[in-house]
């Protein structure tokens, strides 16, 4: 890794491991055929340097192009850039605003399959596509107020099908601006040799190596899996060109590859298309069957309801008060050896504390029927409620406590993106929710994918708008144990 960085002129001692990997991702289009990369970030981070100085087999475009120049000139019968070069890079992608729509349409087909049609000819190329652009706002502002494809020109940004063909979005804001002391005076490969080596690696196919150790989670469709495989294969070619990769090394590369692809999908989801809602990317260890979820760092805390499963004992709960104000809490239950006592920690208002204690009293009286009598007798439970909306609106927490406590005892996660509605009496009778519209709307806006709802509220779903019903699945329950079983995916 350090040798490669010194070969492109950078001193690796100034970068941490993540930054080194991100810098190497810039090289993937040089060693992997038909790879599509986007990097958007601040000015002065050296985005296009590799494509200008490193290889004679790469061309860097600094303005709009035409279909004839990019693909095939029917008048002269000459092949365009994608058939002549190993990689075609677009610098200052915002300048492509005046590029003909026909170029984007043809590029869209090319980025998917490496083929395109011109006149009567069906042609193909192996060139990778890289796009570089500058961000004008901090990433926190873009995440909060819009999306991370904002710097792209309209002709590209508005074409979701084209954006979906991007294999990796490199977070340019994580790479520091280049200073004179970042440049190395150590030895590296001669650039001519490195360019030839990278070109030779394009002939090899390392996309199947990931299958030795891992399989992909259910949220990755065929296009996602292809993107992750190609990014991981490119990194293997750079770091382990002999193809001998350990499980831990592969996990590191797959995590970075999934993050780069998930960043693309998260923006597509924000751009308003429901078909891109499945973004909980994960990979599964073939031996242990452990599933590991991969997030994107900049999205942390944006959607209050995580799309990945919470730890056992943690749930999201919501309710609406008589003034139509909505609450959203994360309820956490921790277990410790003890004698079956409940301790509520933190500043919880009296109505919510009552709701929690009432639910615990029900659990104590029905622990045998619930199959948790032994665990209740030998465990103390500590409960904390975190107000995610910070609006100090009280919440009915009864069913939420039953589910969280059951989850903690069983050491099993609740379903990902689950929002729990409803309360119960001391005898276990389910209390109807005042209104479904407000909590489900709030849940949808904050990332909920399904909601646990009392069966008594089923008729009220007729009042809920269709777009909410489409994006938040309704899961009904008629008693506390059924609620717990369904929340854990056991029923």
């Amino acid at each position: 890794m350090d040798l490669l960085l010194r070969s492109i002129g950078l001193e690796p001692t100034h970068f941490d491991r993540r930054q080194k990997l991100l810098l190497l991702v810039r090289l993937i289009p040089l060693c992997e055929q038909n790879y599509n990369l986007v990097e958007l970030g601040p000015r002065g981070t050296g985005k296009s340097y590799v494509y200008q100085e490193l290889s004679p087999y790469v061309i860097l475009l600094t303005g709009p192009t035409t279909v004839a120049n990019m693909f095939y000139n029917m008048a002269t019968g000459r092949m365009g850039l994608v058939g002549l070069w190993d990689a075609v890079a677009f610098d200052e992608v915002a300048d492509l605003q005046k590029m003909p729509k026909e170029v984007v349409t043809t590029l869209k087909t090319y980025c998917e399959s490496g083929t395109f049609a011109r006149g009567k000819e069906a042609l193909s190329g192996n060139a990778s596509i890289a796009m570089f652009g500058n961000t004008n706002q901090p990433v926190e502002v873009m995440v909060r107020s819009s999306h991370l494809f904002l710097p792209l020109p309209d002709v590209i940004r508005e074409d979701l099908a084209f954006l979906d063909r991007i294999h990796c979005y490199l977070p340019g804001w994580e790479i520091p601006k280049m200073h004179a002391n970042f440049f190395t005076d150590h030895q590296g490969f001669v650039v001519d040799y490195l360019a030839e080596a990278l070109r030779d690696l394009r002939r090899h196919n390392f996309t199947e190596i990931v299958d030795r150790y891992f399989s992909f989670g259910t949220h990755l469709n065929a296009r996602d899996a292809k993107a992750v495989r190609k990014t991981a294969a490119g990194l293997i070619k750079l770091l382990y060109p002999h193809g001998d990769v350990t499980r831990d090394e592969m996990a590191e590369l797959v995590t970075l590859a999934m993050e780069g692809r998930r960043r693309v999908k998260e923006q597509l989801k924000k751009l308003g298309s429901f078909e891109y809602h499945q973004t909980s990317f994960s990979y599964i260890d073939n031996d242990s069957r452990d599933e590991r979820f991969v997030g994107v760092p900049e999205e942390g805390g944006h959607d209050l309801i995580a799309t990945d499963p919470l730890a056992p004992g943690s749930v999201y709960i919501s309710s609406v008060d008589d003034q139509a104000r909505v609450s959203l809490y994360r309820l956490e239950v921790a277990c410790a050896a003890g004698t079956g006592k409940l301790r509520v920690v933190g500043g919880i208002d009296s109505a919510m504390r009552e709701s929690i204690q009432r639910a615990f009293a029900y659990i104590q009286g029905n622990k045998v029927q619930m199959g948790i009598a032994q665990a209740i007798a030998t465990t103390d439970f500590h409960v904390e409620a975190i107000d995610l909306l910070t609006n100090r609106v009280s919440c009915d927490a009864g069913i939420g406590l039953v589910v969280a406590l059951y989850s903690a005892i069983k050491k099993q996660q609740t379903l990902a993106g689950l929002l729990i509605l409803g309360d119960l009496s001391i005898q276990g009778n389910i209390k109807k929710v005042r209104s479904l519209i407000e909590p489900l709307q709030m849940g949808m806006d904050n990332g909920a994918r399904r909601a646990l709802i009392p069966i008594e509220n089923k008729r009220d779903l007729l009042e809920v708008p269709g777009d909410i019903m489409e994006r938040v699945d309704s899961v009904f329950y008629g008693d506390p144990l059924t609620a717990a079983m369904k929340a854990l995916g056991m029923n």
Side-chain angles (χ1 to χ4, degrees):
M1 187 185 289
D2 290 356
L3 177 62
L4 279 175
L5 288 173
R6 284 177 173 146
S7 299
I8 61 176
L10 298 174
E11 178 49 49
T13 54
H14 292 293
F15 305 99
D16 60 32
R17 185 168 180 84
R18 177 172 169 82
Q19 288 172 332
K20 291 178 188 179
L21 283 167
L22 293 176
L23 287 165
L24 290 183
V25 170
R26 289 176 174 173
L27 296 177
I28 294 178
L30 279 66
C31 65
E32 183 72 18
Q33 293 182 357
N34 299 108
Y35 184 76
N36 311 319
L37 174 71
V38 164
E39 180 182 352
L40 304 173
R43 294 164 179 81
T45 56
K47 289 187 283 289
S48 57
Y49 170 79
V50 163
Y51 296 83
Q52 259 179 318
E53 306 293 340
L54 187 65
S55 172
Y57 304 116
V58 177
I59 187 168
L60 182 69
L61 303 179
T62 53
T65 186
T66 62
V67 176
N69 183 51
M70 186 75 181
F71 296 101
Y72 182 77
N73 190 320
M74 289 192 290
T76 63
R78 294 184 62 182
M79 193 68 173
L81 300 177
V82 297
L84 302 175
W85 301 89
D86 284 353
V88 179
F90 293 89
D91 198 13
E92 304 295 345
V93 73
D95 294 342
L96 303 181
Q97 183 63 50
K98 295 188 176 72
M99 193 163 67
K101 182 71 175 172
E102 188 187 4
V103 178
V104 178
T105 305
T106 312
L107 193 60
K108 184 162 55 178
T109 306
Y110 175 78
C111 286
E112 175 64 24
S113 60
T115 60
F116 58 94
R118 288 287 286 154
K120 297 178 181 177
E121 299 286 333
L123 303 157
S124 64
N126 294 321
S128 295
I129 304 294
M131 294 183 174
F132 304 108
N134 298 319
T135 54
N136 298 313
Q137 298 172 300
V139 64
E140 297 83 10
V141 174
M142 287 197 295
V143 166
R144 194 168 60 247
S145 62
S146 56
H147 56 85
L148 297 178
F149 283 133
L150 197 62
L152 294 178
D154 294 344
V155 68
I156 294 173
R157 187 175 63 229
E158 294 171 358
D159 194 333
L160 300 191
F162 177 76
L163 297 176
D164 194 24
R165 285 156 168 77
I166 296 168
H167 294 138
C168 181
Y169 184 140
L170 190 62
W173 52 87
E174 290 193 36
I175 296 173
K177 288 179 179 284
M178 292 297 151
H179 297 290
N181 60 329
F182 284 2
F183 304 126
T184 189
D185 55 3
H186 287 268
Q187 291 182 324
F189 288 127
V190 175
V191 173
D192 295 347
Y193 167 78
L194 181 59
E196 294 294 338
L198 292 173
R199 187 177 210 206
D200 190 67
L201 284 168
R202 293 173 71 84
R203 297 186 297 109
H204 300 277
N205 181 7
F206 284 1
T207 55
E208 305 300 322
I209 291 180
V210 64
D211 295 331
R212 293 179 191 170
Y213 304 115
F214 305 113
S215 55
F216 297 145
T218 55
H219 274 215
L220 280 89
N221 62 29
R223 197 171 275 165
D224 301 327
K226 177 184 176 183
V228 172
R229 286 179 186 281
K230 288 181 80 71
T231 305
L235 289 168
I236 293 169
K237 288 178 180 181
L238 294 167
L239 295 172
Y240 314 102
H242 53 315
D244 187 10
V245 192
T246 67
R247 186 181 300 272
D248 289 342
E249 290 165 346
M250 192 73 244
E252 179 183 45
L253 303 188
V254 169
T255 299
L256 188 66
M258 278 199 177
E259 181 199 311
R261 175 59 185 173
R262 178 167 177 173
R263 189 171 286 110
V264 174
K265 288 293 285 282
E266 289 288 354
Q267 310 324 307
L268 291 170
K269 184 170 75 171
K270 284 185 182 178
L271 283 163
S273 190
F274 179 68
E275 63 190 291
Y276 301 112
H277 72 284
Q278 293 190 316
T279 57
S280 290
F281 284 11
S282 61
Y283 59 95
I284 301 161
D285 190 301
N286 289 341
D287 291 343
S288 68
R289 305 308 297 169
D290 286 344
E291 187 170 14
R292 300 174 211 172
F293 287 86
V294 178
V296 280
E298 69 276 1
E299 293 285 340
H302 174 64
D303 284 341
L304 297 174
I305 297 173
T307 51
D308 298 334
L310 292 173
S314 297
V315 299
Y316 294 108
I317 57 173
S318 176
S319 67
V320 58
D321 67 7
D322 52 9
Q323 298 174 38
R325 295 181 303 169
V326 184
S327 58
L328 176 63
Y329 285 78
R330 187 173 70 248
L331 196 65
E332 298 179 357
V333 173
C335 300
T339 56
K341 293 187 177 64
L342 176 74
R343 292 187 174 86
V344 181
V345 298
I348 298 176
D349 69 82
S350 57
M352 191 169 174
R353 187 181 292 267
E354 253 180 59
S355 174
I356 289 171
Q357 290 171 340
R358 193 166 57 241
F360 190 69
Y362 169 80
I363 293 169
Q364 286 278 29
N366 294 270
K367 57 192 175 189
V368 176
Q369 295 94 309
M370 296 178 75
I372 52 174
Q374 179 65 31
I376 293 285
T378 58
T379 310
D380 282 351
F381 301 95
H382 301 264
V383 180
E384 184 178 9
I386 297 98
D387 185 358
L388 298 178
L389 295 177
T390 61
N391 58 1
R392 298 185 179 180
V393 176
S394 185
C395 186
D396 297 329
I399 295 298
L401 181 84
V402 173
V403 173
L405 193 138
Y406 197 76
S407 166
I409 289 173
K410 297 290 185 183
K411 295 184 174 59
Q412 190 169 334
Q413 298 167 319
T414 56
L415 298 171
L418 178 69
L419 181 66
I420 298 173
L421 310 178
D423 200 2
L424 75 163
S425 70
I426 199 162
Q427 291 188 345
N429 296 313
I430 304 300
K431 296 182 179 179
K432 186 178 177 182
V433 179
R434 280 193 184 91
S435 170
L436 291 181
I437 298 173
E438 294 86 357
L440 290 183
Q441 175 73 55
M442 180 278 305
M444 182 188 76
D445 292 343
N446 283 285
R449 299 215 306 272
R450 47 181 70 89
L452 198 62
I453 301 170
I455 194 73
E456 287 84 352
N457 286 99
K458 193 165 187 177
R459 188 183 296 274
D460 299 332
L461 280 179
L462 297 171
E463 302 169 9
V464 178
D467 62 323
I468 301 176
M469 296 290 293
E470 271 187 7
R471 294 174 61 181
V472 183
D473 293 337
S474 302
V475 182
F476 295 102
Y477 65 90
D479 61 82
L481 182 57
T482 302
M485 301 280 279
K486 286 191 172 183
L488 270 60
M490 298 166 66
N491 193 337

